[in-house]
Amino acid sequence: MIHDMEKSNPLNSRVLNSYIDLSEEVADALSENKPVVSLESTIISHGMPYPKNVETAIKVEEMIRNNNAVPATIAIIGGRIKIGLSSKELEYFGNKGTAIPKVSRRDLPLIISHKDDGATTVAATMICSSLANITVFATGGIGGVHRNAQQTMDISSDLEEFTKTPVLVVCAGAKAILDLNLTMEYLETKGIPVFCYQTDELPAFYTRKSGIKAPFRVESASEIADIWNTKEKLGIKGGFIVANPVPEKYSMDEKIINDAIDKAIAEMNMLGIKGKETTPYLLDKIQKITEGESLESNIGLVLNNAKLASKIAIDLKSVSCSD
Ligand code: PSU
Ligand code: MN
């Protein structure tokens, strides 16, 4: 470890320093140019029940460390952007759950200026990752175009974020609570590539298959790192999506999960739930209907994504060193 006085400040800007706190582990990794993988906090406080959410957050971080990269869980605490959380902070987010506001792009300035707490979604985590020069981010599922969006206009701001922010997100595809065909059309229109890892089909979160052809198939982490570097050299802005299918062992029966999703959506419509409450409501309802089977699947796939993200983060460092 380099002595504190000699260590370069990885944020390198007074403005960023006045908003962002890096944990010591993350600050060291960034200033020593080690591979870092960021993680979101909405999945902790709005995506899984307590205490499994905290246990999973800790396991995901361990998975990244065991794969020779450094985890950086991101959240807003008292208006500070925290990059790298302590176990106490992870417990706080998991325990408070949905009492912590879900923070996406539009919410960030207000939550920070009011010095509030916030759980960052994929979009907000991408923004914070990019501010700290972290390129690779692992999560479970991303938001997308909801079913019936033709009427409701409910399209997650996660999708638009990929047009703006240069972060590579490893996920297990998008959940079938969304309209996957419309989501793929939207991504194509916006010029956001989806690289499907070792599969010809778009993975659908709980299942390895969706019936939708993969726009691109990739075989290895180093291939993904190469494509990323090419994009950067061409000056093409924004990020992209790596869709990594859930491991066989954790994949669910298609009929069971799709019936649960249909039931959850019907109940949501009956209750008139809308807007940012939609995704957390459906995640919770599906977990209850499947009696926890979907939660085990969710945990299995997040760990698998953390592993692939670590490999990509490592390959990005070695590819950029060699040229
Ligand atoms: N999809 C999941 N699990 C999640 C989420 C989505 O399978 O935890 C969370 C992520 O934080 C994502 C957010 O960024 O929900 C999307 O919310 P919305 O659809 O309101 O944009
Ligand atoms: Mn929405």
Side-chain angles (χ1 to χ4, degrees), residues 9 11 13-21 78-81 112 115:
N9 179 349
L11 289 178
S13 137
R14 204 173 285 166
V15 176
L16 290 184
N17 276 304
S18 61
Y19 290 106
I20 301 178
D21 292 327
R80 305 285 303 174
I81 300 173
I112 290 173
K115 305 205 178 335

Side-chain angles (χ1 to χ4, degrees), residues 40 42-43 47 102 121-122 141 143 146 156-158 175 205 279 283:
E40 57 155 314
T42 293
I43 191 175
K102 175 178 158 190
T121 63
V122 167
H146 281 263
S156 173
S157 111
D158 288 352
K175 273 203 179 86
F205 199 87
T279 303
L283 300 182

Side-chain angles (χ1 to χ4, degrees), residues 217-229:
R217 175 184 171 128
V218 288
E219 303 300 335
S220 68
S222 65
E223 183 183 356
I224 297 166
D226 264 334
I227 298 169
W228 179 267
N229 283 327

Side-chain angles (χ1 to χ4, degrees), residues 43-50 52-53 56 175 177 205-206 252 257 260-261 264 279-299:
I43 191 175
I44 305 173
S45 48
H46 296 251
M48 290 183 192
Y50 182 78
K52 280 266 180 188
N53 53 3
T56 305
K175 273 203 179 86
I177 57 173
F205 199 87
Y206 300 117
M252 289 186 70
I257 190 62
I261 289 171
T279 303
Y281 176 84
L282 290 173
L283 300 182
D284 179 58
K285 199 79 212 165
I286 292 162
Q287 276 157 23
K288 287 185 175 133
I289 296 170
T290 64
E291 291 165 351
E293 193 191 339
S294 69
L295 180 57
E296 288 313 307
S297 170
N298 201 341
I299 295 169

Side-chain angles (χ1 to χ4, degrees), residues 62-84:
E62 275 312 300
M63 174 66 96
I64 293 170
R65 289 191 192 98
N66 291 339
N67 282 278
N68 307 311
V70 173
T73 305
I74 296 180
I76 316 296
I77 303 182
R80 305 285 303 174
I81 300 173
K82 298 275 179 188
I83 306 194

Side-chain angles (χ1 to χ4, degrees), residues 213-273:
K213 192 175 175 294
F216 305 105
R217 175 184 171 128
V218 288
E219 303 300 335
S220 68
S222 65
E223 183 183 356
I224 297 166
D226 264 334
I227 298 169
W228 179 267
N229 283 327
T230 305
K231 174 196 90 69
E232 290 287 281
K233 284 179 195 150
L234 292 172
I236 295 173
K237 291 201 176 73
F240 63 56
I241 299 168
V242 174
N244 185 25
V246 56
E248 281 306 346
K249 189 174 154 202
Y250 296 105
S251 74
M252 289 186 70
D253 179 89
E254 241 169 280
K255 183 159 166 39
I256 291 178
I257 190 62
N258 289 332
D259 286 353
I261 289 171
D262 289 344
K263 208 169 149 197
I265 291 178
E267 290 206 26
M268 181 186 78
N269 290 335
M270 231 170 56
L271 293 169
I273 290 166

